[in-house]
Amino acid sequence: MIMFNFFCNENCRMGDCYLINGGDYNHIKNVLRMVVGDTFLVSENGESHLCEIEKFENDLVVVKIIKTIC
């Protein structure tokens, strides 16, 4: 199983969610064709989080942190 990893900064984080836009949004939605419920890693400041797609909204993908990996 391939696990994709995206890099975000603290400005993308809202509580236990990340709001991802721009090129990463396009890659997630149109290139990888991910859907609600798919999971991937989000790395921020040296920590990696397993996240699940909650919804696509306008030009954002909202993902919820399931657990911190390291």
Side-chain angles (χ1 to χ4, degrees), residues 12-63:
C12 298
R13 190 165 178 177
M14 300 288 289
D16 64 346
C17 291
Y18 284 99
L19 307 177
I20 300 172
N21 62 8
D24 286 341
Y25 165 84
N26 181 63
H27 196 76
I28 290 166
K29 184 171 184 183
N30 300 314
V31 176
L32 298 175
R33 297 179 189 241
M34 291 183 153
V35 296
V36 171
D38 284 349
T39 58
F40 55 85
L41 296 175
V42 174
S43 295
E44 174 198 355
N45 293 330
E47 288 188 338
S48 292
H49 308 280
L50 179 63
C51 296
E52 180 178 347
I53 297 174
E54 285 204 327
K55 63 182 172 179
F56 292 93
E57 185 174 279
N58 301 320
D59 290 337
L60 290 172
V61 58
V62 178
V63 299

